[in-house]
Amino acid sequence: MFRKIPWFKFSSPPNFYWLADRLTPWLWGGAAILGIMGLYVGFFVAPPDYQQGDSYRIMFIHVPTAWMGMFIYLLIALYSVIFLTWRIKMADVMAIALAPTGALMTFLSLWTGALWGAPTWGTYWVWDARLTSTLILLFLYLGYMALHAAVDDREKGARAASLLALVGVVNVPIIYFSVEWWHSLHQGMSVTLTDAPSMAASMFAAMLLMTGACWLYSAAIALRRAQVEALEREAGNPWVQDELLGAEEGGDAATAAEASGDLQREVRS
Amino acid sequence: MWSGVGDFLAMGGYAPWVWGSYGVFAVLLILEAVLLARRRRQVRDRLTRRLRRERADQVREVREA
């Protein structure tokens, strides 16, 4: 089935819209299933931590939202490169559609981090490398969205915002490696690509399930937002007419044009 | 693991921190999804009305011609 789908065609808005319509129900469903499984394992299977008691359960949303905040920013930078290099407008649509969700995830990682820090470190906030660079990530998201919206000429605004996204991407490795590069109150990496995770299997499973849930949720939301964005930008195009009027008039733009042709002939005779 | 609902809600004494995290997490994600669904509906309605009006204008022009 997958081979028959012409993936390269999905940079065109109508094909993208069609594909997003078919993907989002599965992404929502997957996010709900993984989320329920993750919460079950996180609250009813994983044991309390021997040092932190039950407060460590915040980790099951803190780590996934922090990962998503960084990952979505990398995606935005990637789409920005595609947009700036090949001027593919759907790349900009995807980038701006991802930004609010990336900002939300980053905010949630800071929020859950503060509420985890309070009982474990005795403070909601410290100006150390990990926390400060994550706060900068949140400001980069907000700056990207503000710049994108601020310029009247959408093309110019999109290009300026894409450049900002690219410049800001250096911040992501800084966040990721900050706990190794600087002395930090924040604990080091518990999960790396090379070593086994330094936590119980059930804790690790809950974290991975919640990460999957956040990933699928973000994908569904971003595709939906990109659809709305594409509709607004392409409002004058035939595919939007097909999408919006097609169903109610029992036909597409071609039949509508035919009908108006019939009408013209009728009027003339 | 938990001796009852009360024990579960108490979260080993960390209730404000744990539920403050999960509560805001859930509320904001649901809010984002709801606001986006509302925006989608508004945009579709607005564009549909505009397209219908334009099409009606076209038909009128043709009739008047």
Side-chain angles (χ1 to χ4, degrees):
Chain A
M1 177 207 168
F2 267 62
R3 271 196 208 149
K4 282 185 190 159
I5 297 176
W7 292 105
F8 61 91
K9 278 191 181 169
F10 292 115
S11 60
S12 101
N15 294 338
F16 165 81
Y17 202 96
W18 179 89
L19 180 68
D21 258 353
R22 268 138 204 87
L23 283 178
T24 39
W26 297 97
L27 296 172
W28 286 129
I33 291 169
L34 290 188
I36 290 166
M37 287 168 67
L39 290 176
Y40 176 76
V41 176
F43 280 106
F44 298 101
V45 180
D49 185 71
Y50 74 101
Q51 279 181 322
Q52 301 187 17
D54 288 309
S55 70
Y56 91 95
R57 291 181 203 278
I58 293 171
M59 175 181 78
F60 304 137
I61 48 176
H62 174 70
V63 175
T65 51
W67 279 348
M68 287 313 297
M70 291 189 282
F71 177 64
I72 290 177
Y73 195 90
L74 290 179
L75 275 182
I76 291 176
L78 182 67
Y79 280 121
S80 295
V81 171
I82 294 173
F83 174 64
L84 290 173
T85 316
W86 291 288
R87 302 209 170 191
I88 296 171
K89 56 189 171 184
M90 279 313 292
D92 180 53
V93 169
M94 275 312 293
I96 195 65
L98 281 161
T101 304
L104 176 63
M105 290 293 168
T106 307
F107 170 78
L108 283 172
S109 76
L110 289 169
W111 175 265
T112 53
L115 287 185
W116 192 5
T120 19
W121 301 340
T123 177
Y124 289 99
W125 184 263
V126 280
W127 290 100
D128 89 333
R130 178 49 78 76
L131 281 70
T132 308
S133 54
T134 306
L135 186 64
I136 290 171
L137 180 69
L138 179 61
F139 290 150
L140 279 170
Y141 276 118
L142 300 179
Y144 172 81
M145 289 189 283
L147 192 55
H148 208 289
V151 184
D152 281 339
D153 180 351
R154 176 153 50 207
E155 179 75 17
K156 274 186 193 159
R159 296 179 75 81
S162 301
L163 273 177
L164 173 69
L166 281 184
V167 173
V169 85
V170 295
N171 188 43
V172 175
I174 293 179
I175 299 175
Y176 191 77
F177 294 109
S178 57
V179 284
E180 297 197 340
W181 291 347
W182 291 283
H183 287 291
S184 173
L185 196 53
H186 196 285
Q187 67 186 71
M189 295 181 203
S190 308
V191 183
T192 60
L193 290 175
T194 45
D195 304 319
S198 58
M199 63 177 98
S202 57
M203 297 178 184
F204 188 54
M207 208 173 74
L208 282 191
L209 286 166
M210 291 306 285
T211 302
C214 286
W215 197 95
L216 293 174
Y217 167 89
S218 304
I221 281 275
L223 285 178
R224 268 289 187 239
R225 195 179 284 115
Q227 279 190 314
V228 179
E229 195 72 28
L231 272 186
E232 282 190 310
R233 292 192 192 189
E234 302 267 305
N237 287 16
W239 74 267
V240 177
Q241 297 180 21
D242 288 350
E243 173 62 30
L244 296 177
L245 299 179
E248 66 180 37
E249 296 186 0
D252 53 10
T255 29
E258 214 174 273
S260 90
D262 287 346
L263 186 65
Q264 269 176 321
R265 278 192 292 283
E266 202 179 292
V267 171
R268 279 203 203 100
S269 65
Chain B
M1 192 160 62
W2 309 100
S3 63
V5 179
D7 186 36
F8 176 71
L9 291 179
M11 256 315 127
Y14 294 105
W17 322 115
V18 173
W19 299 129
S21 294
Y22 279 85
V24 170
F25 174 81
V27 165
L28 288 186
L29 292 196
I30 290 167
L31 192 68
E32 185 188 27
V34 168
L35 288 179
L36 180 59
R38 202 175 71 173
R39 182 179 159 212
R40 177 185 158 85
R41 203 166 48 244
Q42 284 170 346
V43 166
R44 288 182 68 105
D45 287 354
R46 178 163 52 80
L47 291 180
T48 305
R49 273 199 304 275
R50 201 173 88 189
L51 286 171
R52 253 189 231 144
R53 203 165 50 232
E54 283 171 5
R55 194 163 287 182
D57 287 348
Q58 281 170 7
V59 169
R60 201 175 309 120
E61 275 169 27
V62 170
R63 284 224 172 92
E64 284 166 1

